[in-house]
PDB file of all heavy atoms in Angstrom:
ATOM      1  N   LEU A  39       0.819  -1.209   0.000  1.00  0.00           N
ATOM      2  CA  LEU A  39       0.000   0.000   0.000  1.00  0.00           C
ATOM      3  C   LEU A  39       0.854   1.260   0.000  1.00  0.00           C
ATOM      4  O   LEU A  39       0.556   2.237  -0.698  1.00  0.00           O
ATOM      5  CB  LEU A  39      -0.928  -0.006   1.218  1.00  0.00           C
ATOM      6  CG  LEU A  39      -2.035  -1.068   1.216  1.00  0.00           C
ATOM      7  CD1 LEU A  39      -2.762  -1.062   2.555  1.00  0.00           C
ATOM      8  CD2 LEU A  39      -3.016  -0.816   0.078  1.00  0.00           C
ATOM      9  N   VAL A  40       1.924   1.247   0.774  1.00  0.00           N
ATOM     10  CA  VAL A  40       2.775   2.428   0.865  1.00  0.00           C
ATOM     11  C   VAL A  40       3.509   2.673  -0.455  1.00  0.00           C
ATOM     12  O   VAL A  40       3.595   3.815  -0.933  1.00  0.00           O
ATOM     13  CB  VAL A  40       3.768   2.301   2.035  1.00  0.00           C
ATOM     14  CG1 VAL A  40       4.757   3.470   2.020  1.00  0.00           C
ATOM     15  CG2 VAL A  40       3.029   2.271   3.367  1.00  0.00           C
ATOM     16  N   ILE A  41       4.023   1.620  -1.057  1.00  0.00           N
ATOM     17  CA  ILE A  41       4.731   1.779  -2.341  1.00  0.00           C
ATOM     18  C   ILE A  41       3.798   2.346  -3.409  1.00  0.00           C
ATOM     19  O   ILE A  41       4.187   3.208  -4.205  1.00  0.00           O
ATOM     20  CB  ILE A  41       5.325   0.429  -2.791  1.00  0.00           C
ATOM     21  CG1 ILE A  41       6.516   0.072  -1.889  1.00  0.00           C
ATOM     22  CG2 ILE A  41       5.765   0.480  -4.252  1.00  0.00           C
ATOM     23  CD1 ILE A  41       7.057  -1.320  -2.112  1.00  0.00           C
ATOM     24  N   GLU A  42       2.572   1.876  -3.413  1.00  0.00           N
ATOM     25  CA  GLU A  42       1.585   2.391  -4.374  1.00  0.00           C
ATOM     26  C   GLU A  42       1.400   3.900  -4.211  1.00  0.00           C
ATOM     27  O   GLU A  42       1.342   4.650  -5.196  1.00  0.00           O
ATOM     28  CB  GLU A  42       0.254   1.675  -4.150  1.00  0.00           C
ATOM     29  CG  GLU A  42      -0.851   2.091  -5.099  1.00  0.00           C
ATOM     30  CD  GLU A  42      -2.149   1.326  -4.828  1.00  0.00           C
ATOM     31  OE1 GLU A  42      -2.092   0.145  -4.425  1.00  0.00           O
ATOM     32  OE2 GLU A  42      -3.213   1.934  -5.028  1.00  0.00           O
ATOM     33  N   GLU A  43       1.359   4.353  -2.960  1.00  0.00           N
ATOM     34  CA  GLU A  43       1.161   5.788  -2.710  1.00  0.00           C
ATOM     35  C   GLU A  43       2.427   6.590  -3.025  1.00  0.00           C
ATOM     36  O   GLU A  43       2.351   7.723  -3.521  1.00  0.00           O
ATOM     37  CB  GLU A  43       0.735   6.002  -1.245  1.00  0.00           C
ATOM     38  CG  GLU A  43      -0.106   7.239  -1.026  1.00  0.00           C
ATOM     39  CD  GLU A  43      -1.468   7.180  -1.690  1.00  0.00           C
ATOM     40  OE1 GLU A  43      -1.928   6.079  -2.077  1.00  0.00           O
ATOM     41  OE2 GLU A  43      -2.096   8.247  -1.828  1.00  0.00           O
ATOM     42  N   ILE A  44       3.590   6.005  -2.756  1.00  0.00           N
ATOM     43  CA  ILE A  44       4.843   6.678  -3.104  1.00  0.00           C
ATOM     44  C   ILE A  44       4.934   6.890  -4.609  1.00  0.00           C
ATOM     45  O   ILE A  44       5.333   7.960  -5.080  1.00  0.00           O
ATOM     46  CB  ILE A  44       6.054   5.868  -2.597  1.00  0.00           C
ATOM     47  CG1 ILE A  44       6.110   5.895  -1.065  1.00  0.00           C
ATOM     48  CG2 ILE A  44       7.354   6.424  -3.179  1.00  0.00           C
ATOM     49  CD1 ILE A  44       7.146   4.951  -0.477  1.00  0.00           C
ATOM     50  N   ARG A  45       4.587   5.866  -5.384  1.00  0.00           N
ATOM     51  CA  ARG A  45       4.623   5.996  -6.847  1.00  0.00           C
ATOM     52  C   ARG A  45       3.707   7.119  -7.327  1.00  0.00           C
ATOM     53  O   ARG A  45       4.048   7.876  -8.244  1.00  0.00           O
ATOM     54  CB  ARG A  45       4.211   4.674  -7.487  1.00  0.00           C
ATOM     55  CG  ARG A  45       5.165   3.516  -7.231  1.00  0.00           C
ATOM     56  CD  ARG A  45       6.553   3.787  -7.732  1.00  0.00           C
ATOM     57  NE  ARG A  45       7.428   2.610  -7.630  1.00  0.00           N
ATOM     58  CZ  ARG A  45       8.748   2.667  -7.635  1.00  0.00           C
ATOM     59  NH1 ARG A  45       9.365   3.829  -7.744  1.00  0.00           N
ATOM     60  NH2 ARG A  45       9.471   1.560  -7.522  1.00  0.00           N
ATOM     61  N   LYS A  46       2.558   7.227  -6.693  1.00  0.00           N
ATOM     62  CA  LYS A  46       1.631   8.308  -7.052  1.00  0.00           C
ATOM     63  C   LYS A  46       2.238   9.667  -6.705  1.00  0.00           C
ATOM     64  O   LYS A  46       2.203  10.600  -7.526  1.00  0.00           O
ATOM     65  CB  LYS A  46       0.309   8.110  -6.305  1.00  0.00           C
ATOM     66  CG  LYS A  46      -0.718   9.200  -6.575  1.00  0.00           C
ATOM     67  CD  LYS A  46      -1.992   8.937  -5.779  1.00  0.00           C
ATOM     68  CE  LYS A  46      -3.006  10.058  -5.978  1.00  0.00           C
ATOM     69  NZ  LYS A  46      -4.218   9.859  -5.152  1.00  0.00           N
ATOM     70  N   ALA A  47       2.821   9.772  -5.516  1.00  0.00           N
ATOM     71  CA  ALA A  47       3.410  11.036  -5.072  1.00  0.00           C
ATOM     72  C   ALA A  47       4.593  11.440  -5.946  1.00  0.00           C
ATOM     73  O   ALA A  47       4.807  12.629  -6.218  1.00  0.00           O
ATOM     74  CB  ALA A  47       3.836  10.932  -3.610  1.00  0.00           C
ATOM     75  N   GLU A  48       5.356  10.459  -6.401  1.00  0.00           N
ATOM     76  CA  GLU A  48       6.508  10.724  -7.272  1.00  0.00           C
ATOM     77  C   GLU A  48       6.100  11.481  -8.532  1.00  0.00           C
ATOM     78  O   GLU A  48       6.809  12.375  -8.991  1.00  0.00           O
ATOM     79  CB  GLU A  48       7.146   9.407  -7.704  1.00  0.00           C
ATOM     80  CG  GLU A  48       8.240   8.888  -6.833  1.00  0.00           C
ATOM     81  CD  GLU A  48       8.949   7.749  -7.541  1.00  0.00           C
ATOM     82  OE1 GLU A  48       8.317   6.700  -7.758  1.00  0.00           O
ATOM     83  OE2 GLU A  48      10.117   7.929  -7.892  1.00  0.00           O
ATOM     84  N   LYS A  49       4.983  11.081  -9.100  1.00  0.00           N
ATOM     85  CA  LYS A  49       4.542  11.661 -10.369  1.00  0.00           C
ATOM     86  C   LYS A  49       4.076  13.099 -10.221  1.00  0.00           C
ATOM     87  O   LYS A  49       4.045  13.844 -11.195  1.00  0.00           O
ATOM     88  CB  LYS A  49       3.415  10.812 -10.957  1.00  0.00           C
ATOM     89  CG  LYS A  49       3.854   9.400 -11.347  1.00  0.00           C
ATOM     90  CD  LYS A  49       2.671   8.576 -11.815  1.00  0.00           C
ATOM     91  CE  LYS A  49       3.091   7.145 -12.156  1.00  0.00           C
ATOM     92  NZ  LYS A  49       1.944   6.296 -12.552  1.00  0.00           N
ATOM     93  N   GLU A  50       3.722  13.476  -9.001  1.00  0.00           N
ATOM     94  CA  GLU A  50       3.081  14.775  -8.792  1.00  0.00           C
ATOM     95  C   GLU A  50       3.951  15.781  -8.046  1.00  0.00           C
ATOM     96  O   GLU A  50       3.522  16.921  -7.833  1.00  0.00           O
ATOM     97  CB  GLU A  50       1.774  14.564  -8.018  1.00  0.00           C
ATOM     98  CG  GLU A  50       0.790  13.652  -8.760  1.00  0.00           C
ATOM     99  CD  GLU A  50      -0.419  13.277  -7.926  1.00  0.00           C
ATOM    100  OE1 GLU A  50      -0.437  13.582  -6.712  1.00  0.00           O
ATOM    101  OE2 GLU A  50      -1.359  12.669  -8.490  1.00  0.00           O
ATOM    102  N   ASN A  51       5.186  15.380  -7.646  1.00  0.00           N
ATOM    103  CA  ASN A  51       6.006  16.253  -6.816  1.00  0.00           C
ATOM    104  C   ASN A  51       7.478  16.208  -7.227  1.00  0.00           C
ATOM    105  O   ASN A  51       7.898  15.344  -7.991  1.00  0.00           O
ATOM    106  CB  ASN A  51       5.870  15.840  -5.342  1.00  0.00           C
ATOM    107  CG  ASN A  51       4.459  15.969  -4.829  1.00  0.00           C
ATOM    108  OD1 ASN A  51       4.037  17.052  -4.444  1.00  0.00           O
ATOM    109  ND2 ASN A  51       3.704  14.880  -4.845  1.00  0.00           N
ATOM    110  N   ASP A  52       8.261  17.136  -6.649  1.00  0.00           N
ATOM    111  CA  ASP A  52       9.705  17.170  -6.889  1.00  0.00           C
ATOM    112  C   ASP A  52      10.451  16.229  -5.949  1.00  0.00           C
ATOM    113  O   ASP A  52      11.529  15.731  -6.283  1.00  0.00           O
ATOM    114  CB  ASP A  52      10.247  18.591  -6.671  1.00  0.00           C
ATOM    115  CG  ASP A  52       9.586  19.614  -7.574  1.00  0.00           C
ATOM    116  OD1 ASP A  52       9.410  19.309  -8.769  1.00  0.00           O
ATOM    117  OD2 ASP A  52       9.246  20.706  -7.089  1.00  0.00           O
ATOM    118  N   VAL A  53       9.904  16.029  -4.769  1.00  0.00           N
ATOM    119  CA  VAL A  53      10.540  15.196  -3.753  1.00  0.00           C
ATOM    120  C   VAL A  53       9.435  14.573  -2.903  1.00  0.00           C
ATOM    121  O   VAL A  53       8.376  15.175  -2.698  1.00  0.00           O
ATOM    122  CB  VAL A  53      11.522  16.022  -2.887  1.00  0.00           C
ATOM    123  CG1 VAL A  53      10.839  17.203  -2.243  1.00  0.00           C
ATOM    124  CG2 VAL A  53      12.201  15.162  -1.831  1.00  0.00           C
ATOM    125  N   VAL A  54       9.686  13.355  -2.419  1.00  0.00           N
ATOM    126  CA  VAL A  54       8.705  12.643  -1.584  1.00  0.00           C
ATOM    127  C   VAL A  54       9.302  12.443  -0.197  1.00  0.00           C
ATOM    128  O   VAL A  54      10.444  11.993  -0.053  1.00  0.00           O
ATOM    129  CB  VAL A  54       8.325  11.280  -2.194  1.00  0.00           C
ATOM    130  CG1 VAL A  54       7.324  10.545  -1.299  1.00  0.00           C
ATOM    131  CG2 VAL A  54       7.759  11.462  -3.599  1.00  0.00           C
ATOM    132  N   VAL A  55       8.520  12.777   0.815  1.00  0.00           N
ATOM    133  CA  VAL A  55       8.936  12.635   2.213  1.00  0.00           C
ATOM    134  C   VAL A  55       8.081  11.543   2.852  1.00  0.00           C
ATOM    135  O   VAL A  55       6.855  11.572   2.758  1.00  0.00           O
ATOM    136  CB  VAL A  55       8.746  13.972   2.965  1.00  0.00           C
ATOM    137  CG1 VAL A  55       8.903  13.777   4.460  1.00  0.00           C
ATOM    138  CG2 VAL A  55       9.716  15.013   2.447  1.00  0.00           C
ATOM    139  N   LEU A  56       8.739  10.574   3.502  1.00  0.00           N
ATOM    140  CA  LEU A  56       8.024   9.514   4.214  1.00  0.00           C
ATOM    141  C   LEU A  56       7.932   9.910   5.680  1.00  0.00           C
ATOM    142  O   LEU A  56       8.942   9.989   6.382  1.00  0.00           O
ATOM    143  CB  LEU A  56       8.747   8.173   4.044  1.00  0.00           C
ATOM    144  CG  LEU A  56       9.010   7.731   2.593  1.00  0.00           C
ATOM    145  CD1 LEU A  56       9.589   6.320   2.563  1.00  0.00           C
ATOM    146  CD2 LEU A  56       7.733   7.802   1.753  1.00  0.00           C
ATOM    147  N   ALA A  57       6.707  10.166   6.131  1.00  0.00           N
ATOM    148  CA  ALA A  57       6.508  10.748   7.458  1.00  0.00           C
ATOM    149  C   ALA A  57       6.893   9.804   8.590  1.00  0.00           C
ATOM    150  O   ALA A  57       7.359  10.253   9.639  1.00  0.00           O
ATOM    151  CB  ALA A  57       5.046  11.173   7.622  1.00  0.00           C
ATOM    152  N   GLN A  58       6.696   8.512   8.423  1.00  0.00           N
ATOM    153  CA  GLN A  58       7.036   7.544   9.468  1.00  0.00           C
ATOM    154  C   GLN A  58       8.419   6.942   9.211  1.00  0.00           C
ATOM    155  O   GLN A  58       8.694   6.471   8.098  1.00  0.00           O
ATOM    156  CB  GLN A  58       6.014   6.402   9.530  1.00  0.00           C
ATOM    157  CG  GLN A  58       4.847   6.634  10.466  1.00  0.00           C
ATOM    158  CD  GLN A  58       3.943   7.751   9.993  1.00  0.00           C
ATOM    159  OE1 GLN A  58       3.516   7.801   8.845  1.00  0.00           O
ATOM    160  NE2 GLN A  58       3.653   8.680  10.886  1.00  0.00           N
ATOM    161  N   GLY A  59       9.256   6.937  10.240  1.00  0.00           N
ATOM    162  CA  GLY A  59      10.555   6.307  10.119  1.00  0.00           C
ATOM    163  C   GLY A  59      10.455   4.832   9.796  1.00  0.00           C
ATOM    164  O   GLY A  59      11.363   4.253   9.191  1.00  0.00           O
ATOM    165  N   SER A  60       9.344   4.219  10.184  1.00  0.00           N
ATOM    166  CA  SER A  60       9.137   2.788   9.939  1.00  0.00           C
ATOM    167  C   SER A  60       9.057   2.451   8.462  1.00  0.00           C
ATOM    168  O   SER A  60       9.182   1.292   8.071  1.00  0.00           O
ATOM    169  CB  SER A  60       7.840   2.337  10.627  1.00  0.00           C
ATOM    170  OG  SER A  60       6.737   3.113  10.201  1.00  0.00           O
ATOM    171  N   MET A  61       8.885   3.450   7.600  1.00  0.00           N
ATOM    172  CA  MET A  61       8.812   3.198   6.159  1.00  0.00           C
ATOM    173  C   MET A  61      10.185   3.041   5.517  1.00  0.00           C
ATOM    174  O   MET A  61      10.287   2.737   4.325  1.00  0.00           O
ATOM    175  CB  MET A  61       8.031   4.324   5.465  1.00  0.00           C
ATOM    176  CG  MET A  61       6.543   4.278   5.712  1.00  0.00           C
ATOM    177  SD  MET A  61       5.646   5.459   4.665  1.00  0.00           S
ATOM    178  CE  MET A  61       5.602   6.892   5.724  1.00  0.00           C
ATOM    179  N   THR A  62      11.251   3.222   6.283  1.00  0.00           N
ATOM    180  CA  THR A  62      12.601   3.091   5.745  1.00  0.00           C
ATOM    181  C   THR A  62      12.829   1.720   5.114  1.00  0.00           C
ATOM    182  O   THR A  62      13.528   1.590   4.097  1.00  0.00           O
ATOM    183  CB  THR A  62      13.638   3.316   6.854  1.00  0.00           C
ATOM    184  OG1 THR A  62      13.441   4.619   7.418  1.00  0.00           O
ATOM    185  CG2 THR A  62      15.054   3.228   6.314  1.00  0.00           C
ATOM    186  N   ALA A  63      12.243   0.694   5.695  1.00  0.00           N
ATOM    187  CA  ALA A  63      12.444  -0.681   5.201  1.00  0.00           C
ATOM    188  C   ALA A  63      11.928  -0.868   3.782  1.00  0.00           C
ATOM    189  O   ALA A  63      12.289  -1.835   3.103  1.00  0.00           O
ATOM    190  CB  ALA A  63      11.754  -1.669   6.142  1.00  0.00           C
ATOM    191  N   ILE A  64      11.103   0.061   3.307  1.00  0.00           N
ATOM    192  CA  ILE A  64      10.539  -0.041   1.965  1.00  0.00           C
ATOM    193  C   ILE A  64      11.547   0.364   0.885  1.00  0.00           C
ATOM    194  O   ILE A  64      11.445  -0.063  -0.266  1.00  0.00           O
ATOM    195  CB  ILE A  64       9.263   0.829   1.871  1.00  0.00           C
ATOM    196  CG1 ILE A  64       8.137   0.173   2.659  1.00  0.00           C
ATOM    197  CG2 ILE A  64       8.845   1.079   0.437  1.00  0.00           C
ATOM    198  CD1 ILE A  64       6.902   0.994   2.736  1.00  0.00           C
ATOM    199  N   LEU A  65      12.533   1.166   1.243  1.00  0.00           N
ATOM    200  CA  LEU A  65      13.439   1.727   0.238  1.00  0.00           C
ATOM    201  C   LEU A  65      14.069   0.690  -0.685  1.00  0.00           C
ATOM    202  O   LEU A  65      14.109   0.897  -1.900  1.00  0.00           O
ATOM    203  CB  LEU A  65      14.523   2.567   0.924  1.00  0.00           C
ATOM    204  CG  LEU A  65      14.040   3.845   1.604  1.00  0.00           C
ATOM    205  CD1 LEU A  65      15.217   4.618   2.170  1.00  0.00           C
ATOM    206  CD2 LEU A  65      13.244   4.724   0.649  1.00  0.00           C
ATOM    207  N   PRO A  66      14.565  -0.453  -0.175  1.00  0.00           N
ATOM    208  CA  PRO A  66      15.127  -1.448  -1.098  1.00  0.00           C
ATOM    209  C   PRO A  66      14.102  -1.991  -2.091  1.00  0.00           C
ATOM    210  O   PRO A  66      14.455  -2.388  -3.200  1.00  0.00           O
ATOM    211  CB  PRO A  66      15.634  -2.554  -0.162  1.00  0.00           C
ATOM    212  CG  PRO A  66      15.834  -1.882   1.153  1.00  0.00           C
ATOM    213  CD  PRO A  66      14.766  -0.856   1.230  1.00  0.00           C
ATOM    214  N   LEU A  67      12.832  -2.015  -1.697  1.00  0.00           N
ATOM    215  CA  LEU A  67      11.781  -2.525  -2.570  1.00  0.00           C
ATOM    216  C   LEU A  67      11.456  -1.538  -3.683  1.00  0.00           C
ATOM    217  O   LEU A  67      10.998  -1.925  -4.756  1.00  0.00           O
ATOM    218  CB  LEU A  67      10.517  -2.827  -1.762  1.00  0.00           C
ATOM    219  CG  LEU A  67      10.674  -3.835  -0.612  1.00  0.00           C
ATOM    220  CD1 LEU A  67       9.366  -3.970   0.151  1.00  0.00           C
ATOM    221  CD2 LEU A  67      11.129  -5.182  -1.136  1.00  0.00           C
ATOM    222  N   LEU A  68      11.706  -0.248  -3.430  1.00  0.00           N
ATOM    223  CA  LEU A  68      11.422   0.770  -4.444  1.00  0.00           C
ATOM    224  C   LEU A  68      12.419   0.705  -5.594  1.00  0.00           C
ATOM    225  O   LEU A  68      12.102   1.047  -6.723  1.00  0.00           O
ATOM    226  CB  LEU A  68      11.487   2.163  -3.809  1.00  0.00           C
ATOM    227  CG  LEU A  68      10.310   2.591  -2.947  1.00  0.00           C
ATOM    228  CD1 LEU A  68      10.634   3.900  -2.249  1.00  0.00           C
ATOM    229  CD2 LEU A  68       9.051   2.756  -3.794  1.00  0.00           C
ATOM    230  N   LYS A  69      13.659   0.283  -5.257  1.00  0.00           N
ATOM    231  CA  LYS A  69      14.749   0.267  -6.247  1.00  0.00           C
ATOM    232  C   LYS A  69      14.934   1.677  -6.793  1.00  0.00           C
ATOM    233  O   LYS A  69      15.094   2.618  -6.038  1.00  0.00           O
ATOM    234  CB  LYS A  69      14.466  -0.767  -7.331  1.00  0.00           C
ATOM    235  CG  LYS A  69      14.354  -2.192  -6.765  1.00  0.00           C
ATOM    236  CD  LYS A  69      14.048  -3.204  -7.832  1.00  0.00           C
ATOM    237  CE  LYS A  69      13.916  -4.598  -7.226  1.00  0.00           C
ATOM    238  NZ  LYS A  69      13.573  -5.630  -8.229  1.00  0.00           N
ATOM    239  N   GLU A  70      14.900   1.857  -8.097  1.00  0.00           N
ATOM    240  CA  GLU A  70      15.106   3.193  -8.655  1.00  0.00           C
ATOM    241  C   GLU A  70      13.817   4.016  -8.554  1.00  0.00           C
ATOM    242  O   GLU A  70      12.730   3.507  -8.780  1.00  0.00           O
ATOM    243  CB  GLU A  70      15.546   3.098 -10.113  1.00  0.00           C
ATOM    244  CG  GLU A  70      16.920   2.472 -10.305  1.00  0.00           C
ATOM    245  CD  GLU A  70      17.373   2.516 -11.754  1.00  0.00           C
ATOM    246  OE1 GLU A  70      16.688   3.178 -12.564  1.00  0.00           O
ATOM    247  OE2 GLU A  70      18.397   1.892 -12.058  1.00  0.00           O
ATOM    248  N   THR A  71      13.993   5.296  -8.227  1.00  0.00           N
ATOM    249  CA  THR A  71      12.836   6.183  -8.140  1.00  0.00           C
ATOM    250  C   THR A  71      13.046   7.375  -9.068  1.00  0.00           C
ATOM    251  O   THR A  71      14.176   7.795  -9.327  1.00  0.00           O
ATOM    252  CB  THR A  71      12.630   6.699  -6.701  1.00  0.00           C
ATOM    253  OG1 THR A  71      13.820   7.378  -6.267  1.00  0.00           O
ATOM    254  CG2 THR A  71      12.333   5.541  -5.757  1.00  0.00           C
ATOM    255  N   GLU A  72      11.940   7.904  -9.566  1.00  0.00           N
ATOM    256  CA  GLU A  72      12.018   9.052 -10.465  1.00  0.00           C
ATOM    257  C   GLU A  72      12.425  10.316  -9.714  1.00  0.00           C
ATOM    258  O   GLU A  72      13.090  11.186 -10.263  1.00  0.00           O
ATOM    259  CB  GLU A  72      10.657   9.276 -11.125  1.00  0.00           C
ATOM    260  CG  GLU A  72      10.196   8.139 -12.017  1.00  0.00           C
ATOM    261  CD  GLU A  72       8.816   8.386 -12.589  1.00  0.00           C
ATOM    262  OE1 GLU A  72       8.326   9.541 -12.459  1.00  0.00           O
ATOM    263  OE2 GLU A  72       8.220   7.464 -13.167  1.00  0.00           O
ATOM    264  N   LYS A  73      12.007  10.425  -8.472  1.00  0.00           N
ATOM    265  CA  LYS A  73      12.271  11.603  -7.652  1.00  0.00           C
ATOM    266  C   LYS A  73      12.932  11.165  -6.337  1.00  0.00           C
ATOM    267  O   LYS A  73      12.816  10.004  -5.940  1.00  0.00           O
ATOM    268  CB  LYS A  73      10.946  12.322  -7.336  1.00  0.00           C
ATOM    269  CG  LYS A  73      10.084  12.613  -8.548  1.00  0.00           C
ATOM    270  CD  LYS A  73      10.651  13.704  -9.408  1.00  0.00           C
ATOM    271  CE  LYS A  73       9.822  13.924 -10.674  1.00  0.00           C
ATOM    272  NZ  LYS A  73       8.410  14.187 -10.417  1.00  0.00           N
ATOM    273  N   PRO A  74      13.605  12.083  -5.637  1.00  0.00           N
ATOM    274  CA  PRO A  74      14.175  11.733  -4.333  1.00  0.00           C
ATOM    275  C   PRO A  74      13.075  11.310  -3.354  1.00  0.00           C
ATOM    276  O   PRO A  74      12.027  11.955  -3.285  1.00  0.00           O
ATOM    277  CB  PRO A  74      14.840  13.037  -3.873  1.00  0.00           C
ATOM    278  CG  PRO A  74      15.046  13.830  -5.120  1.00  0.00           C
ATOM    279  CD  PRO A  74      13.914  13.470  -6.030  1.00  0.00           C
ATOM    280  N   VAL A  75      13.320  10.228  -2.640  1.00  0.00           N
ATOM    281  CA  VAL A  75      12.400   9.744  -1.606  1.00  0.00           C
ATOM    282  C   VAL A  75      13.164   9.752  -0.289  1.00  0.00           C
ATOM    283  O   VAL A  75      14.153   9.028  -0.130  1.00  0.00           O
ATOM    284  CB  VAL A  75      11.868   8.332  -1.923  1.00  0.00           C
ATOM    285  CG1 VAL A  75      10.960   7.846  -0.790  1.00  0.00           C
ATOM    286  CG2 VAL A  75      11.104   8.330  -3.248  1.00  0.00           C
ATOM    287  N   LEU A  76      12.727  10.590   0.656  1.00  0.00           N
ATOM    288  CA  LEU A  76      13.467  10.805   1.891  1.00  0.00           C
ATOM    289  C   LEU A  76      12.822  10.100   3.078  1.00  0.00           C
ATOM    290  O   LEU A  76      11.595  10.091   3.216  1.00  0.00           O
ATOM    291  CB  LEU A  76      13.549  12.304   2.199  1.00  0.00           C
ATOM    292  CG  LEU A  76      14.097  13.212   1.100  1.00  0.00           C
ATOM    293  CD1 LEU A  76      14.138  14.652   1.594  1.00  0.00           C
ATOM    294  CD2 LEU A  76      15.475  12.761   0.635  1.00  0.00           C
ATOM    295  N   THR A  77      13.658   9.513   3.931  1.00  0.00           N
ATOM    296  CA  THR A  77      13.205   8.968   5.203  1.00  0.00           C
ATOM    297  C   THR A  77      14.039   9.607   6.309  1.00  0.00           C
ATOM    298  O   THR A  77      15.138  10.124   6.072  1.00  0.00           O
ATOM    299  CB  THR A  77      13.353   7.436   5.256  1.00  0.00           C
ATOM    300  OG1 THR A  77      14.735   7.095   5.078  1.00  0.00           O
ATOM    301  CG2 THR A  77      12.516   6.772   4.175  1.00  0.00           C
TER     302      THR A  77
END
C-alpha cells in the first residue's frame, strides 16, 4: 500500500517525504525512483 502511494506522489512532486521512520524498510523494494524519496 505504501509503495503504491509513493509511486503516485513521485509523479506529482519534486521530492517525496516519508513521514514515518518505519517506512525506511521499503526503500530497497522501491529500487530506482524518479524523484528523491526521503526517510
Side-chain angles (χ1 to χ4, degrees):
L39 292 173
V40 174
I41 288 172
E42 181 179 327
E43 208 66 16
I44 291 171
R45 295 301 187 200
K46 178 181 177 183
E48 269 192 294
K49 295 175 182 177
E50 300 172 351
N51 298 277
D52 301 317
V53 56
V54 179
V55 169
L56 305 186
Q58 270 67 50
S60 56
M61 287 189 268
T62 302
I64 288 175
L65 293 183
L67 302 177
L68 284 172
K69 299 179 181 178
E70 294 185 9
T71 58
E72 296 177 11
K73 309 288 176 55
V75 178
L76 306 181
T77 60

